[in-house]
Amino acid sequence: MNKNTRIKLNDGLTMPVVALGVWQSHEGTKNAVLTALKNGYRHIDTAAVYHNEKDVGEAIKESGIPRNEIFVTTKLWNDDVRSGNTREALKKSLENLGLDYVDLYLIHWPAEGYLEMEKLQKEGLTRSIGVSNFRKSHLQNLLSKVHIVPSINQIETNPQMVDEETIQYCKENKIGVEAWSPLGSGACLNNPKIQEIANKYQKSSAQIILRWLLQKGIVILPKSVHENRIKENIDLFNFVLENEDVELINQLNQHKRTVPDPDNFDF
Ligand code: A2P
């Protein structure tokens, strides 16, 4: 595994295992994306509701890197699903990004609307389609209705929040898993156990957590607007966590979410 390593999705597409996440990046977004691309990232994860697709698009253009070398994900917001504006929403995202297609389009929170996404994939507006924040029960319901199994489920996953049941279900159904807030929005970095393991490997806490996720076969989307951290968060391929350390981090799970549970959200 190295920073160019890609995982194969169930539709045949491949995706780099490390992405730059831009949730809560705000005015730092363009610079962060440019910095990431300069430092070897080839996967950027945004969403309509982050209101920074334009900055992401400008950075991609300014980087000079060919479009087909960068994997771009965006997401369909809840209001657009509910009002049946799925197609219009993707068109708007593409306009904001300045792109003809995205690589992956996700339903941001559990909702109907997936069948419309299947059409958008056929039209070539998105190469792959998937979901986000779906728990096992949402996926079971979805799979009973769809023609195309989602390629990805992007869920909150970090040392204090692991939904093993959903991850296992995704594995069984060949749905790739991506971790949003892999660092627990920063909350996991000061955990004494993580710091102890970081000392052992002479790595930062962030690197230990990100490497732990990669070794579990999970794609990571760390967010940072700082160059040193952006570099650090993809510098994960010159060490391997021993199984006993993977297990120690597994034991930190508290099922503690930083946002509402996907079964009980009101936005
Ligand atoms: P910043 O953007 O100011 O660098 P997550 O990806 O889990 O949502 O975590 C993002 C949070 O963690 C942000 O507050 C980000 O801050 C911080 N962060 C990201 N990478 C690192 C790192 N390598 N070391 C310390 N903090 C980090």
Side-chain angles (χ1 to χ4, degrees):
M1 199 160 47
N2 59 54
K3 70 179 176 188
N4 301 315
T5 298
R6 304 172 76 97
I7 61 153
K8 194 163 184 177
L9 305 179
N10 62 18
D11 53 17
L13 237 64
T14 64
M15 159 194 277
V17 292
V18 184
L20 179 76
V22 295
W23 178 40
Q24 297 175 326
S25 282
H26 310 301
E27 66 283 349
T29 305
K30 183 176 170 186
N31 199 31
V33 175
L34 268 171
T35 304
L37 292 172
K38 217 177 283 170
N39 286 287
Y41 287 71
R42 289 294 179 269
H43 182 175
I44 311 293
D45 183 278
T46 184
V49 78
Y50 303 166
H51 300 295
N52 56 18
E53 290 172 312
K54 273 199 174 126
D55 300 311
V56 170
E58 280 173 22
I60 289 172
K61 199 167 174 197
E62 227 172 279
S63 75
I65 298 167
R67 166 68 185 96
N68 63 3
E69 289 179 20
I70 305 175
F71 193 103
V72 182
T73 300
T74 195
K75 311 185 193 86
L76 172 66
W77 186 238
N78 309 349
D79 296 340
D80 291 313
V81 185
R82 291 187 196 115
S83 55
N85 286 336
T86 299
R87 193 167 197 286
E88 293 79 354
L90 177 53
K91 284 279 199 183
K92 184 75 195 155
S93 285
L94 290 172
E95 187 188 320
N96 285 337
L97 287 159
L99 300 176
D100 301 329
Y101 68 91
V102 285
D103 295 277
L104 176 62
Y105 199 41
L106 302 177
I107 294 191
H108 208 145
W109 284 82
E112 300 296 323
Y114 188 85
L115 294 175
E116 199 56 38
M117 310 256 292
E118 293 184 343
K119 293 186 199 152
L120 300 175
Q121 185 185 27
K122 287 212 174 73
E123 278 182 58
L125 296 175
T126 178
R127 297 184 72 206
S128 194
I129 52 175
V131 297
S132 183
N133 297 302
F134 276 50
R135 302 201 65 206
K136 179 179 174 179
S137 56
H138 303 120
L139 289 169
Q140 282 173 321
N141 181 31
L142 184 78
L143 293 195
S144 69
K145 299 175 185 162
V146 301
H147 310 103
I148 302 169
V149 176
S151 61
I152 282 289
N153 184 22
Q154 182 181 122
I155 51 179
E156 181 173 7
T157 309
N158 54 60
Q160 64 183 17
M161 176 60 231
V162 183
D163 181 350
E164 293 107 339
E165 186 188 58
T166 298
I167 293 173
Q168 184 56 32
Y169 187 78
C170 286
K171 283 204 174 123
E172 285 162 12
N173 288 280
K174 300 195 166 45
I175 300 169
V177 177
E178 293 182 339
W180 68 257
S181 272
L183 307 173
S185 295
C188 299
L189 295 169
N190 294 327
N191 181 291
K193 193 45 86 187
I194 304 268
Q195 287 180 335
E196 204 180 302
I197 298 171
N199 287 340
K200 172 175 167 184
Y201 290 88
Q202 293 289 293
K203 297 288 172 190
S204 71
S205 293
Q207 287 172 316
I208 296 297
I209 295 171
L210 296 172
R211 180 74 206 188
W212 166 74
L213 286 163
L214 289 179
Q215 286 183 214
K216 289 162 86 70
I218 296 177
V219 172
I220 52 174
L221 324 167
K223 172 264 173 184
S224 180
V225 292
H226 295 101
E227 181 168 14
N228 58 332
R229 292 174 175 176
I230 290 171
K231 283 184 180 169
E232 185 180 305
N233 293 347
I234 199 169
D235 181 15
L236 307 169
F237 302 99
N238 53 7
F239 71 107
V240 180
L241 293 175
E242 292 166 23
N243 288 341
E244 63 180 35
D245 294 318
V246 169
E247 193 43 47
L248 282 174
I249 304 175
N250 289 344
Q251 285 166 14
L252 301 176
N253 190 14
Q254 300 170 54
H255 297 103
K256 188 172 167 190
R257 296 179 183 276
T258 57
V259 298
D261 190 300
D263 286 318
N264 295 296
F265 66 100
D266 60 358
F267 43 85

